[in-house]
């Protein structure tokens, strides 16, 4: 408010290029062909990068927290297939953001549209497979049993059952994600300035994804403008790092509000069915909980936060019920 703050988007670097991302309009589709010839001819456009071309600079995205039975091989820029609306399929580097945005409209992408997986029920049928090699859409499945729950319910005076649904939502920080990446080909060091709430974690994710020594990467977080859990990851930030490494110039990517709502990290979207048995004095005799959660199409999309909350809520529920018994 006083003008003394400095957010990432306020920072300018000499010779800096600006990025714009071509995003999928489909929730599930194969990428048949990408024609960038018209965009490359637009004055001011410096480079266009597709997912296939990006493979020489980057490995698969790395989960922020890996607690999964299966980790899919997906990339910062989609390769062969898109799995959510808004997934990057190409990126443009230009002399300014206006030119980069104009060039987005000149990229022609041919898709083979596949059935969409929209709800948890769609995923469990399965209506379609996001990763054919899995054979299902279950990325994490775990069961824990202590004692004979059927016997506990059979000998309970009262049995209550309820299903609680938690809707999907996302944080909307004052400043959306912004990333400036600079790469020095001589020293092979990368400096990344971004509106992250976890610079050390983002440095590790960048190093693992780009297969660079972590000590060669410096991540700077100036004024952040809020995060709410949506700025813990590194996926679109990887794109800026790839372009800086490829072009040898500073590049900036600024996420607009539409991109933020469409492709930023979302959370929750799960149901919990709880069944509780009580004796005649209302002491708990049995507890059964089944949680089903949407953990998204790829690392860092919905996954980490939803899984943390799924497990955390079950632990919280168990602790509350244990305390209730203790205090009865």
């Amino acid at each position: 408010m006083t003008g003394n703050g400095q957010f990432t988007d306020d920072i300018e670097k000499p010779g800096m290029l600006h990025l714009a991302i071509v995003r999928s309009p489909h929730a599930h589709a194969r990428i048949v062909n990408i024609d960038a010839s018209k965009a490359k001819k637009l004055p001011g456009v410096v480079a266009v990068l597709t997912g296939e071309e990006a493979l020489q600079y980057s490995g698969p995205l790395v989960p922020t927290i890996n607690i999964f039975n299966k980790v899919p091989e997906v990339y910062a820029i989609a390769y062969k297939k898109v799995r959510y609306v808004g997934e990057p399929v190409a990126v443009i580097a230009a002399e300014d953001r206006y030119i980069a945005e104009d060039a987005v409209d000149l990229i022609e992408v041919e898709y083979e549209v596949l059935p969409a997986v929209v709800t948890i029920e769609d995923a469990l049928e399965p209506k379609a497979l996001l990763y054919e090699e899995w054979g299902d859409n279950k990325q994490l499945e775990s069961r824990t049993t202590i004692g004979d729950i059927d016997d506990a319910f059979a000998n309970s005076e009262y049995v209550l059952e309820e299903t609680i649904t938690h809707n999907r939502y996302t944080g909307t920080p004052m400043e959306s994600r912004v990333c400036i990446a600079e790469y020095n080909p001589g020293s092979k060091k990368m400096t990344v300035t971004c509106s992250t709430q976890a610079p050390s974690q983002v440095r590790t994710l960048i190093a693992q994804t780009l297969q660079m020594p972590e000590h060669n990467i410096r991540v700077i977080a100036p004024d952040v403008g809020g995060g709410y859990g949506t700025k813990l990851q590194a996926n679109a930030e990887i794109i800026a790092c790839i372009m800086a490494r490829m072009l040898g110039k500073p590049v900036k990517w600024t996420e607009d509000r539409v991109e933020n709502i469409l492709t930023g990290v979302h959370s929750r979207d799960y149901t919990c069915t709880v069944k509780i048995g009580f004796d005649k004095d209302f002491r708990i005799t049995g507890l059964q909980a089944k949680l089903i959660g949407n953990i998204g199409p790829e690392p860092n999309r919905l996954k980490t936060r939803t899984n943390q909350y799924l497990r955390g809520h079950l632990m919280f529920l168990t602790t509350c019920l244990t305390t209730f018994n203790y205090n009865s």
Side-chain angles (χ1 to χ4, degrees):
M1 293 178 66
T2 63
N4 293 320
Q6 187 179 54
F7 298 95
T8 306
D9 196 44
D10 296 324
I11 300 171
E12 296 293 328
K13 300 285 183 179
M16 185 169 68
L17 301 174
H18 295 260
L19 306 182
I21 298 172
V22 181
R23 298 185 178 277
S24 168
H26 304 292
H28 194 201
R30 299 190 194 283
I31 300 172
V32 178
N33 185 57
I34 300 176
D35 185 354
S37 57
K38 293 180 182 178
K40 291 178 179 178
K41 294 177 183 178
L42 184 68
V45 170
V46 176
V48 179
L49 185 68
T50 65
E52 184 173 3
E53 295 164 339
L55 294 179
Q56 61 182 305
Y57 299 99
S58 172
L61 288 174
V62 178
T64 305
I65 301 174
N66 189 359
I67 57 174
F68 311 112
N69 302 129
K70 309 168 187 173
V71 177
E73 188 173 289
V74 292
Y75 298 83
I77 306 173
Y79 172 59
K80 293 186 177 180
K81 190 177 183 182
V82 293
R83 295 178 175 87
Y84 63 91
V85 173
E87 183 168 8
V89 296
V91 59
I92 294 159
E95 293 174 359
D96 62 46
R97 178 67 182 261
Y98 300 100
I99 296 173
E101 292 286 355
D102 288 343
V104 165
D105 296 331
L106 299 177
I107 301 288
E108 298 175 357
V109 185
E110 182 183 351
Y111 297 97
E112 177 192 341
V113 180
L114 302 171
V117 177
V118 179
T119 66
I120 296 175
E121 290 73 23
D122 286 344
L124 294 176
E125 279 187 32
K127 185 176 179 180
L129 296 176
L130 290 187
Y131 302 96
E132 290 86 349
E133 63 272 19
W134 289 7
D136 58 33
N137 289 316
K138 298 178 184 179
Q139 189 177 7
L140 176 66
E141 186 173 16
S142 61
R143 299 171 185 266
T144 301
T145 302
I146 300 175
D148 190 333
I149 190 65
D150 293 329
D151 181 67
F153 288 144
N155 291 286
S156 297
E157 190 74 19
Y158 310 100
V159 177
L160 303 178
E161 186 171 357
E162 184 68 46
T163 297
I164 302 167
T165 300
H166 201 318
N167 63 285
R168 174 177 175 175
Y169 68 88
T170 185
T172 52
M174 181 171 66
E175 181 187 44
S176 57
R177 292 180 296 166
V178 185
C179 182
I180 298 173
E182 304 170 79
Y183 181 72
N184 187 320
S187 64
K188 297 183 179 180
K189 292 186 176 181
M190 179 88 70
T191 301
V192 180
T193 306
C194 60
S195 59
T196 178
Q197 54 189 113
S200 295
Q201 180 169 276
V202 167
R203 180 185 62 188
T204 299
L205 294 172
I206 292 172
Q208 292 176 347
T209 303
L210 297 185
Q211 300 169 4
M212 291 178 60
E214 191 164 337
H215 62 265
N216 279 7
I217 300 172
R218 183 187 182 199
V219 175
I220 303 169
D223 293 337
V224 172
Y228 320 117
T230 67
K231 295 181 178 180
L232 294 170
Q233 76 289 348
N235 41 44
E237 292 81 359
I238 296 294
I239 294 176
C241 293
I242 292 173
M243 296 301 285
R245 197 173 181 182
M246 181 179 81
L247 299 174
K249 291 184 177 182
V251 301
K252 177 194 283 187
W253 170 71
T254 300
E255 178 184 60
D256 63 32
R257 184 57 63 192
V258 173
E259 287 180 301
N260 171 251
I261 295 173
L262 186 66
T263 70
V265 171
H266 294 188
S267 188
R268 312 308 201 272
D269 191 11
Y270 54 79
T271 61
C272 176
T273 300
V274 184
K275 187 176 181 180
I276 309 173
F278 301 89
D279 64 15
K280 60 184 179 62
D281 296 319
F282 296 100
R283 294 180 182 275
I284 297 169
T285 55
L287 167 66
Q288 186 178 62
K290 180 179 181 180
L291 294 93
I292 302 176
N294 176 3
I295 54 177
E298 49 99 332
N300 304 315
R301 186 59 43 202
L302 269 156
K303 297 184 164 57
T304 302
R305 297 180 72 200
T306 298
N307 271 291
Q308 287 174 322
Y309 286 114
L310 282 173
R311 293 187 173 200
H313 282 208
L314 182 56
M315 292 174 63
F316 176 74
L317 177 64
T318 304
T319 302
C320 287
L321 292 174
T322 303
T323 304
F324 175 81
N325 269 344
Y326 178 79
N327 291 333
S328 297

